[in-house]
Amino acid sequence: MALDMKAIRADFPILSRKVAGGKDLVYLDNAATTQKPQSVIDAMTHYYERSNANVHRAVHTLATEATEQYENARDTLAAWFGTTRDNLIFTSGTTEAINLVAWGWARSNLNAGDAIVITEMEHHADIVPWQLLAEEKGIEIRVVPIDTERDILDMDIFSASLPGSSLVCVVHTSNVLGVANPVADIIAQSHDAGAKVLIDAAQAAPHHRIDFTGMGADFVAISGHKMCGPTGIGCLLATTESIEEMEPFMSGGDMIETVTMEKSTFAKGPQKFEAGTPKIAEAIGFAAAADYLSNFDMDELHGHIRGLAMYTASEIKSVPGITVYGDHSVSEGSGVVSFLHDSVHAEDLARFMDAGGFAMRTGHHCAQPLLNAYGVTSTNRVSFYLYNTMEEAEAFVEHLRYIIGKFG
Amino acid sequence: MTWPQALQEAIEQFADVFDPMERYEMLFEWASDVNELPIEEWNDANRIHGCQSQAHVECHMEDGMFYMRGGADAQIVQGLMAITCLAVNGRPPEEVVAIEPTFVDEMGLKASLTPSRSNGFLNMFKRVQDEAGLLTEGA
């Protein structure tokens, strides 16, 4: 069944606004954050209008409602991600989720000389915590390079890096290249080598139903705002065994069982890692986003999104001076297209495109090692999502040609 | 503050243009008017931090007056440098130190700059003023 793009776009109120002196907004920065459907906005507003109270604390009516809605959100999201509520820890996003693995699991389970495997394709959030941990604990970091000719990880080096490793951290889908890694193979090999696996699914969760149980990873990090949910909320999916091995790295209210001035004991399960007043409205909004996406066949959505990226990459490759990064000949991958012109600076180009109503990203995309591997310090990036249309992709290509023709 | 005539003309020219694309085109064109710091002279000491693009500024005295040269890999940034040159070049360094960059507001430039870019611009302007301060002390 063809997607009803008019109906989809009508669900997102921001898409009707004008920018740059009256031009239609063409929002192509979805890898940075996605727009929110009215149902997500309404869910959060309704909570604040009708049920706002702190959770897990009081017994009055509003507190009961707020707690129910918050925990129902956990149930909704756990079901969406193919797991149980006992395996879903709310975080502020992927960055905090990865830091929770670093400081909650790795810090207390790894020792000097143990090895962590990461890749050149990682977002900074999946690089910097490991560097800091390595400095603190004397842990070895093994880096799998990217094969820049084929735009994939060097899987030979990956396999060779596994013996003796304790944790493997890999991005599911690159926020720069849009390519998807062979996650099933990575998890299988890692487990055969005795290593746990953390998958950064920030760019994958918007496009696919993440089936945590089926995937078999030990940890999966997800951001709500990249899949139509609000900013400031995400989750860490973790196996029961992993959760039992974790220690809290943020502590205080709500994550305790008993507190004396001498010692404290902690709550069990995910609550042990959710200190303080949680992002209640955001969790409710995150669940509303999952409910919204459940209206669609995710494979069909992915096909639509990927098709826009493949079309755009194919067209702009023929613009004189443009280099496109990533392999857009394959159907696996996201809606991301990164590119660079050989004379119009990336930031200038983004400015000119913005003046035409096109919102796109420029910079290092929090992936400096990956860009360095390609010999560049910044790129332009467009990233499509479910509400983008072929008309928008065509208009983008046409305006890009115009700008390059004028300033290139 | 009284601006040099060239800057006053630039302020009026820019403020008369409302279309964002035309504004960027003006900055793009002005890039070639900058007192250029050639790429061979770019180094870490003269780099402006806080800019997404690479931007470099060198400041010196000529006949008792302050001058800056600038270079950037992004043309719009270099255009902003050209405007800054109009504001500061040929002035006594103590005057450069005292300048409030209100010409940015008079031109309506802030509306054309994202926070990161305007922070980069203000970083550059502060750097120029800091350099002027050092040259004043050394005078």
Side-chain angles (χ1 to χ4, degrees), chain A residues 20-21 23 343-348 351-356 362-364 377-378 399 402-403 406-407, chain B residues 18-22 24-25 28 51-54 73-77 111-118:
Chain A
K23 299 184 179 62
S343 66
V344 180
H345 192 275
E347 195 171 355
D348 288 338
R351 284 271 169 219
F352 288 133
M353 295 302 289
D354 176 57
T362 175
H364 54 62
T377 55
S378 66
H399 197 69
Y402 164 70
I403 294 297
K406 197 174 169 74
F407 297 103
Chain B
F18 298 100
D19 181 75
M21 184 69 182
E22 286 183 39
Y24 290 137
E25 286 185 61
F28 206 81
C51 276
Q52 194 176 115
S53 59
Q54 282 199 66
D73 58 356
Q75 291 297 289
I76 291 176
V77 173
S112 301
L113 302 174
T114 57
S116 66
R117 180 55 74 78
S118 84

Side-chain angles (χ1 to χ4, degrees), chain A residues 276-290:
Chain A
T277 297
K279 292 182 170 68
I280 306 163
E282 285 78 3
I284 291 167
F286 189 7

Side-chain angles (χ1 to χ4, degrees), chain B residues 7 27 30-35 68 76-87 89 124:
Chain B
L7 177 59
L27 286 170
W30 285 340
S32 56
D33 295 337
V34 75
N35 286 36
M68 67 165 272
I76 291 176
V77 173
Q78 193 154 302
L80 293 170
M81 285 180 165
I83 295 170
T84 307
C85 286
L86 294 179
N89 281 0
M124 175 189 64

Side-chain angles (χ1 to χ4, degrees), chain A residues 183-203:
Chain A
V183 166
D185 184 26
I186 286 169
I187 293 172
Q189 286 196 49
S190 302
H191 284 166
D192 285 345
K196 280 198 186 299
V197 180
L198 161 64
I199 297 294
D200 171 359
Q203 298 290 333

